Amino acid sequence: MTARREVPLLVRLAWDCLDQHRHRRCVRCAEAGFCPVAEAARHRIRQWRRFRHVWGWR
């Protein structure tokens, strides 16, 4: 039986943030579509994927 690696809480919250931004804007969203909160969430997810790739977690 293999142990399933769970996604860390902060990465799950980043996904939730992106899901919410997909449906409605927050107060920090600009008219051009840029939001620093959503960008930080994307960055956190990219870093997690890079970490998993380096350490061999698929």
Side-chain angles (χ1 to χ4, degrees), residues 33-53:
F34 177 78
C35 179
V37 176
E39 191 58 36
R42 285 186 197 101
H43 179 72
R44 184 178 302 273
I45 292 169
R46 280 192 299 262
Q47 291 298 322
W48 172 243
R49 286 179 175 167
R50 187 174 298 139
F51 175 80
R52 286 188 330 173
H53 180 72

Side-chain angles (χ1 to χ4, degrees), residues 6-58:
E6 292 189 21
V7 177
L9 176 64
L10 291 176
V11 176
R12 280 190 282 153
L13 291 175
W15 278 112
D16 289 343
C17 175
L18 291 180
D19 285 341
Q20 289 179 3
H21 274 82
R22 205 170 290 148
H23 298 290
R24 69 184 97 88
R25 302 169 120 192
C26 73
V27 284
R28 293 188 174 207
C29 289
E31 289 297 321
F34 177 78
C35 179
V37 176
E39 191 58 36
R42 285 186 197 101
H43 179 72
R44 184 178 302 273
I45 292 169
R46 280 192 299 262
Q47 291 298 322
W48 172 243
R49 286 179 175 167
R50 187 174 298 139
F51 175 80
R52 286 188 330 173
H53 180 72
V54 167
W55 290 99
W57 296 357
R58 307 252 180 224

